[in-house]
Amino acid sequence: MHKPTREEILLELMSHSDYVPMKIKEIAGMFQIEQSERAELEAVLKKLIKLGKIEVTNRGKYLLRQKSDIVVGKFISHKKGFGFVEVEDWEDDIFIPASFTKDAFHGDEVAVKLLSDSRGKRQEGEIVDIIKRGRTEIVGLFKKTKEYGFVIPDDKKFTKDIFIGKGGTMGAMNNHKVVVEVESWGDEYKNPEGKVTEIIGHISDPSTDILAIVRSMEIPHHFPDEIMAYVEKVSDTISDDELEDRLDLRDWTTVTIDGEDAKDLDDAITISRTSEGYTLGVHIADVTQYVQEDSPLDKEALLRGTSVYLVDRVIPMLPRKLSNGICSLNANEDRLALSCIMKIDHNGHVDNYQIKKTIINVDERMTYTDVNAIIENLDEATIEKYRDLVPMFHLMKDLSSCLRNKRMKRGSIDFDFPESKIKLNEQGEPIEIKAYERNSATKLIEDFMLMANETVAEHFFWQELPFVYRSHEEPDPERIKMLAQFIYNFGYHIKGKEDVHPKEIQKLLADVEGTKEEAIISRLALRSMKQARYTTTCDGHYGLATKHYCHFTSPIRRYPDLQIHRIIKESIEGRLNEGRIEHYNGILTHVAMHSSGAERRAEQAERETIKLKKAEYMTKHIGETFEGVISGVTQWGLYVELANTIEGLIHVTALDDDYYHFDELKHMYIGERRGNMYALGDAVKIVVLGANVQERTIDFAISKEEEL
């Protein structure tokens, strides 16, 4: 039997013939909703408004929307003039023809009238109102004329240049990257107008390109003076008072294992063998001791949501005095921690655990490289250097293998794509790009963090306390169907139609491993997944095949971890009374949603800076020949990925030795006269035709050697 959702219950109420428009207080009273749950009710009402189902009067009363053909969503523009509107909880976007975009810009919240005579499958619409501008600042390239200036937006989704009057240039010169405050958005006949508010730098200056991306995505990158003044008052040492009620683990042999460049060390490990298996201690920096709730520092951390890791810099969530200092689990220093200490049997099952406030002292700051040299390469020099710790690392390897096997048996999916490692010179220019793959040391730390995250999440789920979980929903059935159709052409299949168990995706990845189609099928499998996000409900994690999951292990660089640390400490200390529970119920929905958005923004910034530096790197290699693999076959050409992770496009017009037919089903191009074939996964030699740093694109052509 279908259980009605909260949205359906509210719509049924408002559809009733006896319903009189009510305020939120009256609706809450009718359903006996407590004050602590009012924020949740408000969120549902806002969602129904966005979906175009209901509206609210000037007096704050809710009723069914009279015009059901009007919906509200976010406008996504295309450089060719048309666009799409994303509506929350709608599976498909609404197509907006170029003549119906009104004066909407990319990211605007708009009202759309649905067109009943839409041709084809996709719903079409016409923008009838701009509800809220997506942004008021635009980053772009300044160009100067005798009388005025104009700015070409970096984001090509903004299809019009911005006019800058004489008095609004701020002294900007040709080819300066600038920030523009838009004062008038113009119309179909007139360009937007604005004034320059910040000169980022000349495009030839080091770091200007990265800073332009940071500013265009509105990522806060400077801490306000009041934050720095607040941080200066934080002590660099631990007082005796702070040691009260803490489990003293300073005599436990403890290590951190991180990358060579890492300075914000927020997790440490202890391990020992027992007759039943292992005792694993995952010790996480107690950041909440120094970031007090609702302090200026806490508000700034929430605003940022996460640290952002770019090619040439880290934009930290917390000032470096904290993230690299008293919060960082630096070796041979007493540090406050929250510890998850688990008794794990030989099958990887957690028999018992405790979550405690602790004090630790790290014995050695290890790197992934050195630990891998010990446990995999058996490097004699490294083994001798860390002789006393070597048995501990081999014990870690044993437990890691045990935990990973257990996770794989239940169906956990491991997408193991090599990351790009980009080395820059002092001028910020890329001088080396290569694939950086996880090794055994990175994997064992990953296994231990996953185990701690699961254990903490399950503990608080059964406590029925307000919490922030990391949720990963089941994939959309339509996307899985498309994936199944695609892989069928290569002789693979997945069981299930609507409810595909993660084991099936895991098996598919194992089946394609080592084949020429591995890269494209793995990517398509990843794209068929939904994005993980932060939620206040424990909805499970499909990719990890677990019912309970959260982010507990990185409070220096992720706000959700910091947020749940407060709840954990208050729970340990017995301070989670009714008032505090009501407080958390009121704020966690916003924390979860904002943190998910900040994470997406950080990921996009990282991708864009990598694409930019790859394009810049290839400008020095135009005319050179490389070997690569065809990673994508589309109607506009072939994508080729090189061994160093750089990907470029061979446009269909560059296949000029024959007339080629695109076979969509077989994912290949076939030459009409000579019969040459270029298929997904084929190894090819290419020559670099060009690279556009501003567009972040790279163009290849088939090498003449290949054509012979």
Side-chain angles (χ1 to χ4, degrees), residues 9 141 144 162 203 210 213 294 297 394 397 425 434 476 483 498 518 544 575 620 622 629 637 672:
I9 292 169
L141 190 65
K144 189 176 182 181
I162 303 165
I203 55 170
I210 302 289
I213 291 173
D294 283 334
L297 182 57
H394 283 292
K397 183 182 178 183
N425 62 17
K434 61 183 180 180
D476 180 79
L483 174 64
E498 293 191 2
E518 177 184 5
L544 293 172
R575 293 192 289 117
K620 305 288 197 304
I622 292 171
V629 174
E672 188 174 278

Side-chain angles (χ1 to χ4, degrees), residues 204 247 307 469 504 607 690 706:
S204 62
L247 182 62
S307 294
Y469 296 94
E504 286 299 306
R607 281 195 302 269
E706 182 82 20

Side-chain angles (χ1 to χ4, degrees), residues 103-109 130-136 185-186:
D103 58 345
F105 280 76
H106 181 71
D108 289 352
E109 188 176 6
I130 312 297
I131 295 173
K132 183 182 177 184
R133 291 293 180 186
R135 61 200 311 176
T136 58
W185 290 92

Side-chain angles (χ1 to χ4, degrees), residues 682-700:
D682 283 353
V684 291
K685 278 188 178 180
I686 60 91
V687 62
V688 183
L689 283 186
N692 188 318
V693 178
Q694 296 301 315
E695 299 280 348
R696 300 162 203 162
T697 57
I698 301 167
D699 293 313
F700 294 157

Side-chain angles (χ1 to χ4, degrees), residues 109-127:
E109 188 176 6
V110 297
V112 179
K113 181 180 180 181
L114 303 179
L115 302 178
S116 57
D117 60 343
S118 297
R119 294 187 179 93
K121 292 182 179 180
R122 184 184 287 276
Q123 172 70 58
E124 293 188 9
E126 176 183 1
I127 293 176

Side-chain angles (χ1 to χ4, degrees), residues 266-284:
D266 47 17
D267 58 87
I269 301 296
T270 57
I271 190 170
S272 59
R273 193 180 292 280
T274 67
S275 56
E276 293 80 18
Y278 312 83
T279 298
L280 173 68
V282 175
H283 314 285
I284 308 301

Side-chain angles (χ1 to χ4, degrees), residues 270-547:
T270 57
I271 190 170
S272 59
R273 193 180 292 280
T274 67
S275 56
E276 293 80 18
Y278 312 83
T279 298
L280 173 68
V282 175
H283 314 285
I284 308 301
D286 186 359
V287 179
T288 61
Q289 191 74 16
Y290 309 101
V291 183
Q292 304 300 318
E293 186 175 28
D294 283 334
S295 67
L297 182 57
D298 181 44
K299 291 174 182 175
E300 181 72 17
L302 175 58
L303 175 69
R304 294 174 177 235
T306 181
S307 294
V308 184
Y309 294 84
L310 304 178
V311 173
D312 67 339
R313 74 196 69 198
V314 176
I315 302 174
M317 184 179 79
L318 299 172
R320 284 186 170 83
K321 183 185 177 188
L322 293 181
S323 62
N324 299 356
I326 191 67
C327 290
S328 184
L329 303 181
N330 300 329
N332 304 309
E333 299 279 353
D334 286 353
R335 287 292 185 261
L336 305 180
L338 272 181
S339 299
C340 182
I341 304 164
M342 297 161 279
K343 300 283 186 182
I344 304 174
D345 66 21
H346 292 291
N347 296 316
H349 178 73
V350 178
D351 289 330
N352 202 353
Y353 66 89
Q354 50 182 330
I355 302 167
K356 294 283 189 180
K357 296 192 308 176
T358 58
I359 179 165
I360 66 171
N361 191 301
V362 171
D363 294 273
E364 194 69 61
R365 190 268 200 238
M366 299 295 299
T367 66
Y368 295 127
T369 303
D370 282 345
V371 174
N372 193 64
I374 292 168
I375 63 176
E376 287 297 331
N377 304 333
L378 305 179
D379 181 77
E380 291 182 7
T382 312
I383 289 171
E384 179 58 30
K385 182 178 179 181
Y386 299 108
R387 182 173 49 196
D388 294 343
L389 297 173
V390 168
M392 179 184 190
F393 297 132
H394 283 292
L395 193 58
M396 286 184 184
K397 183 182 178 183
D398 291 345
L399 176 56
S400 171
S401 176
C402 179
L403 293 175
R404 187 165 287 260
N405 287 339
K406 181 199 171 196
R407 210 166 63 246
M408 292 301 114
K409 282 179 183 176
R410 75 185 186 203
S412 180
I413 305 168
D414 188 11
F415 289 103
D416 194 8
F417 295 110
E419 296 180 5
S420 299
K421 183 76 172 177
I422 302 178
K423 184 179 180 181
L424 307 178
N425 62 17
E426 291 181 0
Q427 288 72 44
E429 299 165 336
I431 56 175
E432 183 185 24
I433 299 179
K434 61 183 180 180
Y436 175 79
E437 300 203 27
R438 295 183 298 165
N439 60 30
S440 292
T442 61
K443 289 177 181 178
L444 70 82
I445 288 298
E446 179 182 290
D447 292 331
F448 297 161
M449 297 304 116
L450 290 175
M451 194 71 261
N453 285 337
E454 284 186 50
T455 302
V456 169
E458 185 169 5
H459 175 82
F460 279 88
F461 170 75
W462 292 114
Q463 295 280 315
E464 297 186 341
L465 292 170
F467 210 61
V468 177
Y469 296 94
R470 180 70 167 175
S471 296
H472 186 217
E473 298 170 82
E474 293 185 1
D476 180 79
E478 278 301 310
R479 290 198 174 190
I480 289 293
K481 184 180 177 182
M482 289 170 62
L483 174 64
Q485 290 171 343
F486 180 85
I487 64 175
Y488 181 77
N489 296 304
F490 294 92
Y492 304 106
H493 69 280
I494 46 181
K495 293 179 183 176
K497 292 183 178 178
E498 293 191 2
D499 298 319
V500 174
H501 194 279
K503 271 190 177 180
E504 286 299 306
I505 306 297
Q506 181 199 78
K507 181 178 179 298
L508 172 65
L509 297 180
D511 289 345
V512 301
E513 189 173 353
T515 66
K516 68 178 187 177
E517 61 268 14
E518 177 184 5
I520 185 64
I521 289 180
S522 296
R523 283 196 179 94
L524 284 175
L526 178 62
R527 287 172 193 161
S528 71
M529 302 290 108
K530 291 189 176 179
Q531 288 184 305
R533 59 195 176 93
Y534 296 107
T535 61
T536 56
T537 52
C538 188
D539 301 326
H541 197 292
Y542 181 85
L544 293 172
T546 181
K547 293 179 180 178

